[in-house]
Amino acid sequence: MSEALTVSKGIPRRYAMMGLALTALFLCYIDRVIISLAAIEMQADLGWSNSDKSSVLAIFFLGYLIMQLLGGLLANKFGGRNIFLWAVLIWSIFTMVTPLAAEVSFTQLILARFMVGFGEGAAYPALYSMINKWMRKDEVSSSIGFMTAASTGGTIFAFLVAGKIIAIYGWPSVFYLFGALGFVWAVFWLWKIPAQSELSDDREADHRKTKRKIPWLLFVTHPAVLSLYVIAMSGAMVSYTLVAWMPSYFADTFGVSTTKAGIYSLFPFALLTFSAIAAGLIGDRYIKKGASTLKVRKRLTYIGFILCVIFIASLVLIKNEYLAILFLSFAFASLGIAVPGYSVMPAEMLPRHGDILYGFVAGVGTLASLVTIKLTGTLLDKTGSYDQMFLIMAAGGIIGLIVFAVFATNKPIYGEEKINV
């Protein structure tokens, strides 16, 4: 390892980068999730219908979608470190102004939540770019697992703490508090991660010297790429929709308080945290022992989605709140197994443009969740039940798994893309 890749006390710089980046993702999901809890109180205070609430929850994902599509391009061009910093600053600013926007008008609130999503959408493609250019090949799956764990850790923290803060200080307080923490983080990122640090990595230099034109046609025609879009849509339909609606599901279905709904909602994310880390470590362990990377990626994805579909579909039969917690927890744990499988594949298929492809894959997933989040509110107003959405999620998982099984590959798909990554 070159001297340039280390920081004081012999800590590899790639680990310092990951530590700070994971902290930012922890904050990212706090800022994303607090609206799910606050919206319960905001709906009562501001007189929203369920459709209004679904609009507030869904508009975040429209901004998120746009920057997921652009974030990979920007990270590929300007470096993941810089784009990641700007992402944190943008979402932190607009998290803090959310209460003020809600006081001004519903339109201003929609705009503020759009901008929170706009900032957060760039975070994952930027970090994905850094992971695949800084980390060793046998560290990538576990890095993706830890990336997922950081986001779920933030979700757990938000559900555990935010409801209590709202109960004591009111719903605006959580936006002020957690939005401000992003600026504290930015100081450490600027201090510890130099702007040019990526260039000291020989592999990063190789990427920059030998870059080719972006293979746009493959992004919309290659069957393996399309299979990633489909599986990402299937996963996002479950994870993003339930991030937005899970507290309301517990409150509406079982009549629990906002605080209790938040506590109930943290259990699925707790299991997701551990399963994502475990699956990533196990996947990397098998790869170190010589197992085919494609077999490892596919097996993790198969196991995760098959189990997730079973548990999500079973929720329509469950009328007990504790069983609902259990089955939702198992469903999310199953997704945690799948993520270190299919999420690693864009960089393996397109080593020089994996960050861009990852942004598009994640963006397509977000588009699907944008539809299902809004559709959930519409169905609730008409039926008063979440059952239809659980069945739609399960059906999406089955379709995604079939398409992925038939077409997915992690072999380089663009001529001379076969470089050592």
Side-chain angles (χ1 to χ4, degrees):
M1 181 178 297
S2 68
E3 192 69 25
L5 284 176
T6 61
V7 294
S8 60
K9 299 182 180 180
I11 301 173
R13 178 157 291 161
R14 68 184 190 276
Y15 294 156
M17 178 276 293
M18 280 300 298
L20 282 171
L22 294 177
T23 301
L25 292 184
F26 185 86
L27 294 175
C28 173
Y29 264 72
I30 293 175
D31 290 346
R32 177 186 302 198
V33 169
I34 53 179
I35 189 68
S36 301
L37 288 169
I40 298 173
E41 305 295 331
M42 295 168 77
Q43 183 176 20
D45 290 350
L46 302 174
W48 298 343
S49 66
N50 282 316
S51 292
D52 291 334
K53 183 162 70 171
S54 69
S55 296
V56 174
L57 296 173
I59 195 63
F60 167 95
F61 291 96
L62 180 59
Y64 196 74
L65 167 64
I66 292 171
M67 275 309 290
Q68 281 184 310
L69 298 176
L70 296 178
L73 285 165
L74 294 172
N76 190 269
K77 183 175 180 62
F78 299 108
R81 181 263 189 189
N82 298 321
I83 301 305
F84 196 78
L85 172 64
W86 280 107
V88 176
L89 292 175
I90 290 170
W91 90 57
S92 298
I93 289 170
F94 285 95
T95 295
M96 292 187 67
V97 304
T98 295
L100 177 61
E103 290 182 9
V104 174
S105 70
F106 188 78
T107 301
Q108 293 299 315
L109 174 61
I110 290 291
L111 177 61
R113 294 309 301 172
F114 173 87
M115 289 304 299
V116 174
F118 188 82
E120 291 196 8
Y124 272 89
L127 180 54
Y128 189 85
S129 176
M130 296 182 77
I131 285 174
N132 284 286
K133 291 171 183 174
W134 287 41
M135 310 305 288
R136 297 199 312 256
K137 182 177 180 180
D138 60 5
E139 295 174 332
V140 172
S141 289
S142 52
S143 296
I144 297 295
F146 281 111
M147 187 169 76
T148 303
S151 63
T152 57
T155 303
I156 293 167
F157 184 87
F159 282 139
L160 187 62
V161 174
K164 296 179 181 178
I165 295 175
I166 290 170
I168 298 172
Y169 300 105
W171 61 263
S173 61
V174 290
F175 296 101
Y176 297 138
L177 173 62
F178 294 114
L181 291 177
F183 297 95
V184 177
W185 173 91
V187 173
F188 286 92
W189 185 257
L190 287 168
W191 176 30
K192 291 292 185 180
I193 310 298
Q196 300 300 319
S197 61
E198 289 173 297
L199 298 179
S200 63
D201 187 342
D202 293 338
R203 188 175 61 200
E204 168 68 9
D206 181 64
H207 274 266
R208 291 186 180 275
K209 287 178 183 178
T210 61
K211 272 191 175 179
R212 299 175 56 180
K213 297 176 72 172
I214 300 171
W216 292 113
L217 186 61
L218 292 180
F219 282 30
V220 294
T221 61
H222 197 285
V225 174
L226 299 180
S227 75
L228 289 181
Y229 293 153
V230 176
I231 199 72
M233 291 171 66
S234 302
M237 284 172 62
V238 176
S239 59
Y240 289 174
T241 304
L242 289 177
V243 165
W245 280 102
M246 196 184 303
S248 296
Y249 164 70
F250 285 120
D252 295 342
T253 306
F254 304 110
V256 302
S257 66
T258 301
T259 300
K260 204 168 186 179
I263 293 173
Y264 284 179
S265 298
L266 68 86
F267 290 104
F269 294 97
L271 284 188
L272 174 59
T273 301
F274 291 113
S275 68
I277 293 174
L281 292 172
I282 291 170
D284 281 343
R285 182 178 178 182
Y286 276 104
I287 290 170
K288 287 179 182 178
K289 290 183 176 181
S292 163
T293 57
L294 180 59
K295 287 184 179 179
V296 171
R297 309 299 184 220
K298 281 195 167 185
R299 285 174 182 173
L300 291 175
T301 305
Y302 293 160
I303 293 170
F305 271 89
I306 290 170
L307 293 175
C308 182
V309 166
I310 292 171
F311 290 122
I312 286 293
S314 299
L315 284 166
V316 301
L317 304 175
I318 292 174
K319 307 304 177 185
N320 177 277
E321 60 191 275
Y322 300 110
L323 283 177
I325 296 169
L326 184 64
F327 274 67
L328 280 168
S329 297
F330 287 157
F332 270 63
S334 302
L335 279 182
I337 295 171
V339 169
Y342 71 87
S343 292
V344 183
M345 296 171 73
E348 295 173 335
M349 293 164 60
L350 291 172
R352 294 191 185 96
H353 302 110
D355 44 8
I356 301 173
L357 178 56
Y358 176 82
F360 275 70
V361 170
V364 170
T366 300
L367 180 62
S369 66
L370 180 66
V371 174
T372 53
I373 289 169
K374 180 62 179 174
L375 181 60
T376 300
T378 302
L379 290 174
L380 279 174
D381 281 338
K382 291 183 177 180
T383 69
S385 172
Y386 291 81
D387 288 351
Q388 290 86 345
M389 278 314 306
F390 290 138
L391 293 175
I392 291 172
M393 292 174 191
I398 293 171
I399 294 170
L401 191 58
I402 293 172
V403 173
F404 181 84
V406 173
F407 296 108
T409 183
N410 68 339
K411 295 179 180 179
I413 60 174
Y414 186 31
E416 298 176 6
E417 286 285 349
K418 297 181 180 180
I419 62 176
N420 184 28
V421 293

